[in-house]
């Protein structure tokens, strides 16, 4: 896989509050790759996107400078406008009912071990190397952007494709794993930067 | 026009060889299209194995593995789901219905699945089809079992027969003390349900009353009456089929289950997991298509060889054509038209054979293998294939065509006795 060198896999994230002693779970975290879920029900389309901070703003450390804070703010406001990132066919007559964007960030503090850190470094491409090197003493951080949208469409069946302007806006994003559920069942697609269009014919 | 008439007349005069060539092309086209139809039919049958279920939940492993053991009854779960977790999930507001499944026992070579009666209402396949009974009815007693069509056919069971369920998958220890009675036989579905023995969830508990850590407890077995009076609440199940209140809730429900803190669980969208599985199994598709494409190529090459071979016999024909003033393009054109005509007729006949074959084979395939091949019009892809066959015929006949022209020129110059 061409993504392998820049993939930064399986790093720790989000210890769930209140169960700190019993449960330790690690969620997969792959730079360059996000997930987009789309559900069609009646005239409503629900979408949610989850993408690593590396894809959206290019860094995952806590915002320390004004510049960092500004790029996060910019990204959040862009993510709050789904119609500009995921362009649906105009015939469908869709409009946004609600959009919410969250940034989850966390720092791995307690359960940090050396082995982990080495793994992370080995799997890393050069461009991320420095970024992480400077944090070596304080643990590896990861952040995720999570956005949820609800759209309403006058004719959702007219949505025959989605164009992913998302990739133009976020140059670090390489692919999105898309899951779609409609009356016809569930489907998965992988949309890549090279071909940022998703054909939805056959979903209705 | 004249040329076409000439070509037709020439073909007619050689009807036997031409007929066989056309037949070969027709068969190869029918084979190719047949494989194409079977392939799409197989894929659709495969993706239709389960429908109407929004999520399948199991112990956290891989989505393909979860699908394999919960739907296809292949392999085993890495872990069970505790009954408490099941209750928790089934009671979530997003959940409209939940069907627990308990796997792990067998009857001869068939898997036994413990579930609730809701399974018969909720399990859907091939779009919106429900399970139907070929005979008998659902379980209405603790020791009732419903068997799939293949189970009944292979083991020769009929409604009312007693069966014995074995502990584990390939073990010799049978639960002989608690025999079941077949209450119903399901109609053939073409899904793994055909190869399943379905009992109630409590029955699975009941047959394990006397079994501790894989071996039967010493002493007299607990009598059936005592078992009936026991509390047979299961402590664990293997997988859950879930329906969501609304499709809009599926993803948040999936995330909630995947992040369920008390127990590592995995929820997958069956359609997505089936797709993932097909991408592994589907490699055979490519091989099939490759082989049948080779057959078409062979038939076309055969046609070119036939044209080439017939040139010798047609020396006089060519010489006369040349003598009466037919130019090189005319001779080439004549041969091309012959090839195109043969290929076109062959392709058309091939389509005829295909539909004839489909009409004959469809009910057999459906009944025997549960493979439903719809008799539909040619897809754009298939039509394009036909056009490609005719074009390829023209291309391969260029060689004999050019040769015909060359020979006819040489023949015309030669003084012959």
């Amino acid at each position: 896989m061409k993504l392998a060198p820049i993939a930064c896999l399986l790093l720790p994230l989000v210890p769930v509050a209140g169960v700190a002693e019993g449960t330790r779970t690690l969620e997969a975290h792959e730079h360059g790759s996000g997930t987009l879920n789309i559900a069609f029900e009646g005239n409503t389309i629900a979408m949610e996107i989850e993408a690593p901070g590396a894809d959206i703003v290019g860094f995952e450390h806590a915002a320390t400078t004004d510049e960092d804070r500004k790029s996060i703010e910019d990204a959040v406001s862009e993510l709050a406008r789904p119609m500009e990132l995921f362009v649906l066919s105009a015939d469908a007559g869709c409009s946004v009912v609600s959009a919410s964007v969250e940034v989850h960030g966390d720092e791995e503090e307690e359960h940090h071990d050396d082995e982990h850190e080495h793994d992370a470094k080995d799997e890393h491409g050069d461009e991320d190397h420095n970024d992480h090197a400077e944090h070596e003493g304080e643990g590896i951080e990861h952040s995720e952007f999570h956005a949820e949208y609800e759209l309403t469409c006058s004719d959702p069946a007219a949505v025959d494709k989605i164009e992913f302007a998302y990739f133009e806006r976020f140059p670090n994003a390489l692919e999105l794993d898309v899951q779609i559920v409609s009356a016809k069942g569930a489907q998965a697609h992988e949309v890549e930067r090279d071909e940022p269009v998703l054909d939805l014919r056959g979903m209705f | 026009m004249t040329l076409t008439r000439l070509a037709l007349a020439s073909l007619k005069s050689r009807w036997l060889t031409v007929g066989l060539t056309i037949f070969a092309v027709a068969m190869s086209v029918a084979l190719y299209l047949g494989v194409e139809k079977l392939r799409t039919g197989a894929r659709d049958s495969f993706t239709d194995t389960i429908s109407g279920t929004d999520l399948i939940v199991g112990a956290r492993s891989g989505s393909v593995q979860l699908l394999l053991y919960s739907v296809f009854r292949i392999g085993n779960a890495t872990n069970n789901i505790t009954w408490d977790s099941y209750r928790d999930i089934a009671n979530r507001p997003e959940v409209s219905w939940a069907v627990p499944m308990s796997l792990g026992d067998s009857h001869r070579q068939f898997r036994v699945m413990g579930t609730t009666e809701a399974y018969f209402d909720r399990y859907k396949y091939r779009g919106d089809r429900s399970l139907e009974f070929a005979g008998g009815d659902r379980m209405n007693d603790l020791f009732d079992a419903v068997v799939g069509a293949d189970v009944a056919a292979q083991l020769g069971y009929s409604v009312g027969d007693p069966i014995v369920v074995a502990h584990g998958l390939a073990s010799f220890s049978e639960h002989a003390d608690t025999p079941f009675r077949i209450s119903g036989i399901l109609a053939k579905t073409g899904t793994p349900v055909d190869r399943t023995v379905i009992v109630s969830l409590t029955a699975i508990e009941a047959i394990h009353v006397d079994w501790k850590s894989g071996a039967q407890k010493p002493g007299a077995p607990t009598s059936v009456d005592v078992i009936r009076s026991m509390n047979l609440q299961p402590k664990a199940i293997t997988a859950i089929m879930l329906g969501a209140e609304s499709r809009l809730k599926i993803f948040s429900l999936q995330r909630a289950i995947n992040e369920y803190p008390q127990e590592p669980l995995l929820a997958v969208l069956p359609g997505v997991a089936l797709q993932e599985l097909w991408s592994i199994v589907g490699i055979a598709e490519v091989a099939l298509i490759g082989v049948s494409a080779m057959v078409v190529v062979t038939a076309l090459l055969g046609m070119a060889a036939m044209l080439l071979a017939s040139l010798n016999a047609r020396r006089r024909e060519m010489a006369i054509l040349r003598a009466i003033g037919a130019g090189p393009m005319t001779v080439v054109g004549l041969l091309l038209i012959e090839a195109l005509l043969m290929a076109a007729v062959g392709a058309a006949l091939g389509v005829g054979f295909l539909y004839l074959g489909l009409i004959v084979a469809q009910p057999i395939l459906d009944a025997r293998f549960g493979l439903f091949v719809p008799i539909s019009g040619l897809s754009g892809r298939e039509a394009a294939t036909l056009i490609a066959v005719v074009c390829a015929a023209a291309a391969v006949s260029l060689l004999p065509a050019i040769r015909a022209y060359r020979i006819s020129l040489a023949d015309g110059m030669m003084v012959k006795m």
Side-chain angles (χ1 to χ4, degrees):
Chain A
M1 267 266 289
K2 64 185 176 200
L3 291 173
I6 44 166
C8 168
L9 281 161
L10 292 170
L11 283 166
L13 200 80
V14 198
V16 184
V19 289
E21 325 107 304
T23 322
R24 278 178 231 159
T25 53
L26 309 177
E27 242 179 74
H29 181 89
E30 186 181 352
H31 287 186
S33 166
T35 50
L36 174 68
N37 294 328
I38 309 171
F40 292 88
E41 172 88 74
N43 284 334
T44 306
I45 301 179
M47 298 210 261
E48 54 175 36
I49 177 169
E50 210 166 46
D55 289 23
I56 303 293
V57 288
F59 61 85
E60 300 203 335
H61 53 80
T64 45
T65 63
D66 285 347
E67 204 186 325
D68 289 352
R69 270 186 283 273
K70 184 168 179 332
S71 41
I72 290 181
E73 267 170 39
D74 287 353
V76 167
S77 67
E78 299 243 15
L79 280 172
R81 293 195 296 273
M83 304 284 282
E84 290 167 31
L85 298 174
F86 310 104
V87 185
L88 308 170
S89 321
D91 301 344
C94 299
S95 56
V96 181
V97 177
S98 68
S100 68
V101 186
E102 284 170 31
V103 188
H104 305 286
D106 221 295
E107 200 163 322
E108 194 199 22
E109 291 157 359
E110 286 163 37
H111 308 297
H112 187 266
D113 56 48
D114 279 332
E115 206 186 323
H116 221 122
E117 202 165 288
H118 288 303
D119 279 345
K121 265 160 64 182
D122 290 346
E123 295 221 20
H124 253 259
D126 286 333
E127 71 268 44
D128 286 345
H129 227 150
N130 296 333
D131 196 27
H132 277 272
E134 64 190 63
H135 292 282
E136 234 167 305
E138 37 182 292
I140 300 168
E141 306 159 338
H142 283 280
S143 70
E144 293 252 340
F145 282 75
H146 184 167
E148 285 183 23
Y149 315 113
E150 198 181 313
L151 313 180
T152 179
C153 301
S154 52
D155 181 15
V159 182
D160 55 355
K161 66 173 185 202
I162 300 179
E163 284 168 54
F164 287 74
Y166 168 83
F167 291 109
E168 279 164 40
R169 171 56 189 88
F170 302 114
N172 291 322
L174 297 175
E175 60 166 31
L176 276 178
D177 290 319
V178 184
Q179 291 191 108
I180 306 173
V181 284
S182 70
K184 280 260 184 93
Q187 275 189 12
H189 300 270
E190 207 165 271
V191 178
E192 298 192 352
R193 164 167 292 277
D194 303 342
E195 215 196 324
V197 183
L198 178 61
D199 189 347
L200 289 182
R201 282 172 299 177
M203 281 311 288
F204 299 100
Chain B
M1 226 29 244
T2 333
L3 215 52
T4 315
R5 221 172 57 229
L6 263 178
L8 274 175
S10 171
L11 288 175
K12 215 169 136 194
S13 71
R14 290 173 287 130
W15 64 271
L16 192 61
T17 36
V18 169
L20 276 177
T21 312
I22 289 177
F23 186 68
V25 173
M27 287 308 278
S28 72
V29 166
L31 177 71
Y32 182 87
L33 294 179
V35 166
E36 186 78 17
K37 289 268 184 219
L38 270 185
R39 188 179 70 97
T40 42
R43 182 170 51 199
D44 293 345
S45 286
F46 181 82
T47 42
D48 286 348
T49 309
I50 183 167
S51 52
T53 297
D54 292 322
L55 289 170
I56 298 177
V57 182
R60 196 168 296 163
S61 52
S63 54
V64 170
Q65 198 203 357
L66 173 54
L67 187 76
L68 281 177
Y69 70 72
S70 64
V71 176
F72 291 90
R73 322 266 142 74
I74 297 172
N76 291 304
T78 46
N79 259 314
N80 282 343
I81 303 173
T82 58
W83 187 253
D84 292 344
S85 297
Y86 165 70
R87 294 302 319 152
D88 258 13
I89 289 167
N91 289 332
R92 288 185 70 89
E94 304 99 315
V95 174
S96 142
W97 54 266
V99 177
M101 289 185 275
S102 191
L103 299 153
D105 284 301
S106 68
H107 172 68
R108 307 280 192 93
Q109 67 269 44
F110 300 103
R111 294 286 180 104
V112 172
M113 180 179 72
T115 186
T116 58
E117 197 162 314
Y119 185 80
F120 297 103
D121 302 318
R122 297 302 180 182
Y123 181 83
K124 296 268 162 57
Y125 68 102
R126 207 182 283 172
D128 205 26
R129 287 218 206 172
S130 297
L131 295 174
E132 277 167 24
F133 281 84
D137 209 346
R138 300 178 180 188
M139 305 84 80
N140 47 29
D141 181 75
L142 180 59
F143 292 111
D144 272 357
V146 169
V147 297
D150 287 356
V151 181
Q154 285 186 29
L155 302 178
Y157 287 154
S158 48
V159 177
D161 285 357
I163 64 169
V164 170
V165 173
H167 186 58
L169 289 179
S171 116
F172 297 106
S173 47
E174 294 203 329
H175 298 264
D177 37 313
T178 44
F180 282 75
R181 185 190 71 97
I182 293 175
S183 69
I185 295 173
L186 294 170
K188 180 93 183 170
T189 62
T191 68
V193 175
D194 294 344
R195 299 185 300 278
T196 309
V197 175
I198 302 171
V199 300
S200 68
L201 213 51
T202 42
I204 293 276
E205 287 300 304
I207 50 181
H208 293 103
V209 163
D210 282 332
W211 294 73
K212 290 282 174 268
S213 23
Q216 198 161 13
K217 267 198 312 201
T222 315
S223 78
V224 169
D225 292 335
V226 174
I227 289 177
R228 282 184 194 280
S229 64
M230 287 169 78
N231 173 22
L232 296 169
Q233 173 80 284
K235 284 166 203 68
I237 53 171
T238 317
I240 314 170
M241 283 163 52
L242 281 187
E245 283 288 343
S246 148
R247 276 194 288 279
L248 305 175
K249 299 275 196 260
I250 293 176
F251 291 115
S252 57
L253 181 60
Q254 184 185 24
R255 197 173 36 248
I257 294 170
N258 286 341
E259 289 171 2
Y260 186 67
Q262 284 83 7
E263 197 173 340
L265 298 176
L266 175 73
V268 297
L269 298 159
V272 169
L274 280 165
Q275 216 178 324
E276 208 173 306
L277 184 55
W278 184 256
S279 69
I280 305 168
V281 193
I283 295 171
E285 274 189 319
V286 184
L288 270 180
I289 281 289
V291 170
S292 48
M294 290 310 286
V295 174
V296 176
V297 170
T298 312
L300 290 178
L301 284 177
M303 185 176 73
M306 186 279 278
L307 281 175
L308 209 53
S310 70
L311 286 184
N312 254 348
R314 297 170 71 190
R315 282 181 166 209
R316 184 162 295 179
E317 188 187 333
M318 293 298 156
I320 291 170
L321 278 176
R322 296 284 284 146
I324 59 171
M329 286 325 285
T330 315
V331 175
V332 171
L334 180 71
L335 271 277
L336 277 186
I337 288 174
E338 284 180 15
L340 284 176
L341 277 173
M342 282 193 283
V345 174
L349 262 181
V351 174
F353 287 162
L354 169 75
Y355 283 105
L356 209 66
L358 277 183
I359 290 167
V360 175
Q362 192 196 35
I364 304 170
L365 283 176
D366 196 9
R368 284 267 182 86
F369 305 105
L371 185 62
F372 182 73
V373 185
I375 300 182
S376 52
L378 293 178
S379 67
R381 191 189 146 113
E382 287 156 355
T385 309
L386 289 181
I387 293 169
V389 166
V390 177
C391 293
V396 296
S397 65
L398 266 181
L399 180 73
I402 289 166
R403 189 157 166 79
Y405 161 65
R406 286 254 183 90
I407 296 176
S408 66
L409 194 62
D411 278 358
M413 300 291 243
M414 263 191 291
V415 183
K416 282 206 168 176
M417 295 305 287

